Amino acid sequence: MNDIKEFLYHLENPQVYTGREINAARKEFSPKNLNVCLVFPEKYEIGMSHYGLILLYHLLNRQVSAVAGGTLAVHAERCFLPGKPSIQTFKTHRVPLFSLENKIPLDEFDVIGFSLLSELNFTNVLQVLDLAGIPLHSRDRQDPFPLVAAGGISVINPEPLRDFIDVFGIGDGETIFPDLLDTAAEAKITGADKNTLLQRLDKIESLYVPALYPPVKKGRFYAPNLETGAIKKRTLKNLEVSLPDDRVIVPLGNVVFDRLNVEIARGCPKNCRFCQAKNYYSPYRYAPLEKNLLHITRGLKETGFESFSLSTLSTGDYPYLNELLQEIPPVIAHTGVSFSLSSLRPSTLSHHLLSTLALFKRTGITIAAEAGTQRLRNVINKDVTDEEIFQAVDLALRNQWQKIKLYFMLGLPTETQED
């Protein structure tokens, strides 16, 4: 089918393929740029709720890669895995999977960057490559471009995808992606082959090129033959520079989290033994109070969102939380805007916090107890006591909260029927 506009009408939720959201990039696709397609291998409704994708999208569209042979402007577009009915439509009409902004087939991009948040996304990566008509195995892609990269919390164990991904980035994407793209830009300008490009990428801190490290048997397991023993995770030291444009892209239709996300901190100061996110996003860093307030006021104005969330792994540990809660009400008074907090530990709940939230929208209180007994919470190093849980419930009830939700995990090591 030659007419892409006509093809859109055959898809489920065709509006999400238009690429015409408020604050989306308005650039023409040009071979003279370094063209990047950010792929979230899930449906639009899930992918557009992911803060990391939005952050990288705006970051890359501001970047210019300067190398010895010249400069290339970076142009970033987005792509998501269609829903099951639409996957079949792409196959039936023999239309290769394309980007949202300019409807460019994925194989015409220089870099394809996958965001991997769960091992359940791994097979979706293969589905995306297949729909795009791109060979699944890295060894079968002889040309240097498109370079297939992947990052996100699930690349902490990249080996299941080692045959399909050219390069993995371990750590904060804001610090890794610019270096990766500078190297890709140099290869595009100089006409380097794929092997040369991979060798150059391998020299960059926190990048892992699996093709250069074949697996060897170590005891009962196979592991990559890394000369240094490990790939070092790269971390953004100053969270202040990570704040995106206030004009963040606004999703079309219903998405999982249809709101402005304000990342007030990254990482977590606690040491729960079960938490992958705490380890991957460590060390704990937080954004200045002034920057968070500015992002709230400007972000709401530039997007029209009716709600925002203070996003972090442990909101109560943000050192300026009380000051922030004092400043928020005057900013959103008489606007109808509501806000929410995530991941509050029982010991951080206070009358001031609950009363401030109640001024705008009384939703629910979530308490992450994780285990039913103090013994098992001690095993997993969950710093929450029975007394703190009951105090939090009592405080919520006295502040007229009607809905309380508790999180528990089943099947923890040493768990008994008593737990």
Side-chain angles (χ1 to χ4, degrees):
M1 182 176 292
N2 295 323
D3 190 345
I4 290 295
K5 291 183 179 180
E6 180 184 342
F7 173 71
L8 294 184
Y9 290 107
H10 295 270
L11 298 173
E12 180 186 40
N13 297 327
Q15 72 277 5
V16 304
Y17 295 89
T18 63
R20 305 303 293 176
E21 299 100 325
I22 294 172
N23 300 330
R26 298 285 190 265
K27 299 180 180 179
E28 291 186 5
F29 184 91
S30 171
K32 296 180 180 179
N33 296 329
L34 185 69
N35 295 298
V36 182
C37 191
L38 297 174
V39 181
F40 195 94
E42 261 290 359
K43 295 175 67 174
Y44 177 96
E45 292 81 356
I46 298 175
M48 282 303 294
S49 300
H50 177 45
Y51 175 77
L53 177 78
I54 304 300
L55 190 154
L56 284 176
Y57 177 77
H58 291 289
L59 175 71
L60 297 186
N61 276 310
R62 297 197 307 262
Q63 182 178 337
V64 174
S65 288
V67 294
T71 60
L72 288 177
V74 175
H75 171 58
E77 301 193 20
R78 295 161 297 140
C79 178
F80 302 93
L81 179 67
K84 286 185 179 180
S86 295
I87 287 176
Q88 189 56 48
T89 303
F90 272 94
K91 292 180 177 180
T92 300
H93 291 276
R94 297 182 180 179
V95 175
L97 190 61
F98 48 75
S99 63
L100 300 193
E101 282 77 3
N102 286 302
K103 313 298 179 291
I104 305 298
L106 264 60
D107 64 355
E108 295 185 26
F109 284 85
D110 300 308
V111 178
I112 297 173
F114 284 98
S115 294
L116 301 178
L117 298 191
S118 165
E119 288 82 356
L120 296 176
N121 295 145
F122 286 5
T123 52
N124 291 356
V125 170
L126 306 186
Q127 182 81 80
V128 168
L129 293 175
D130 180 61
L131 285 175
I134 297 172
L136 300 185
H137 289 88
S138 176
R139 64 175 179 269
D140 295 331
R141 302 191 294 265
Q142 299 301 320
D143 294 331
F145 302 115
L147 178 75
V148 179
I153 192 170
S154 284
V155 303
I156 202 167
N157 177 25
E159 292 308 292
L161 286 174
R162 63 171 293 117
D163 291 335
F164 313 106
I165 301 296
D166 296 321
V167 57
F168 293 93
I170 315 296
D172 291 329
E174 307 101 307
T175 65
I176 300 173
F177 232 125
D179 287 349
L180 185 154
L181 295 185
D182 284 345
T183 304
E186 183 179 11
K188 182 173 183 177
I189 291 173
T190 60
D193 60 24
K194 182 174 182 178
N195 185 61
T196 301
L197 173 58
L198 293 182
Q199 293 284 351
R200 291 173 181 171
L201 290 170
D202 184 56
K203 292 180 172 61
I204 299 176
E205 181 185 22
S206 304
L207 291 186
Y208 169 48
V209 181
L212 302 181
Y213 302 97
V216 295
K217 192 170 185 179
K218 297 182 179 180
R220 295 186 298 131
F221 304 99
Y222 283 87
N225 188 20
L226 295 172
E227 298 174 2
T228 59
I231 300 294
K232 184 180 179 181
K233 180 187 73 175
R234 201 189 308 190
T235 301
L236 182 69
K237 295 181 180 179
N238 184 359
L239 195 61
E240 180 177 353
V241 301
S242 176
L243 294 176
D245 291 340
D246 298 313
R247 296 178 52 128
V248 294
I249 192 169
V250 180
L252 285 173
N254 294 322
V255 296
V256 176
F257 298 123
D258 191 12
R259 63 195 182 203
L260 178 70
N261 280 308
V262 181
E263 187 186 30
I264 62 174
R266 190 176 300 183
C268 180
K270 302 303 177 182
N271 290 291
C272 302
R273 294 175 65 187
F274 58 84
C275 186
Q276 182 191 44
K278 180 265 182 298
N279 289 283
Y280 188 79
Y281 293 116
S282 64
Y284 182 63
R285 296 145 286 163
Y286 51 85
L289 173 65
E290 297 76 15
K291 285 290 182 181
N292 287 326
L293 283 171
L294 200 60
H295 186 38
I296 292 170
T297 53
R298 290 183 177 177
L300 292 173
K301 179 180 179 181
E302 297 289 351
T303 62
F305 279 117
E306 296 178 348
S307 65
F308 66 92
S309 172
L310 304 182
S311 177
T312 179
L313 291 175
S314 182
T315 310
D317 290 301
Y318 179 63
Y320 306 121
L321 182 60
N322 286 332
E323 293 92 330
L324 187 58
L325 291 176
Q326 290 175 358
E327 296 288 346
I328 285 176
V331 171
I332 62 177
H334 312 299
T335 65
V337 171
S338 63
F339 76 99
S340 60
L341 307 177
S342 60
S343 307
L344 280 168
R345 290 184 295 110
S347 61
T348 62
L349 285 177
S350 66
H351 173 75
H352 176 241
L353 188 153
L354 293 177
S355 60
T356 301
L357 285 173
L359 290 173
F360 302 97
K361 186 177 182 181
R362 196 185 299 271
T363 53
I365 297 298
T366 300
I367 299 174
E370 311 298 5
T373 62
Q374 189 63 53
R375 182 202 71 81
L376 190 52
R377 285 197 291 274
N378 291 340
V379 170
I380 63 177
N381 205 30
K382 181 68 178 182
D383 186 20
V384 174
T385 66
D386 288 346
E387 182 181 8
E388 288 174 337
I389 293 173
F390 286 113
Q391 285 179 349
V393 172
D394 182 63
L395 186 62
L397 292 175
R398 283 193 281 114
N399 280 272
Q400 309 302 313
W401 245 260
Q402 299 298 312
K403 184 193 297 183
I404 296 176
K405 180 167 58 177
L406 291 100
Y407 285 160
F408 292 95
M409 292 187 290
L410 300 180
L412 290 166
T414 79
E415 185 181 66
T416 66
Q417 190 63 40
E418 181 183 355
D419 299 311

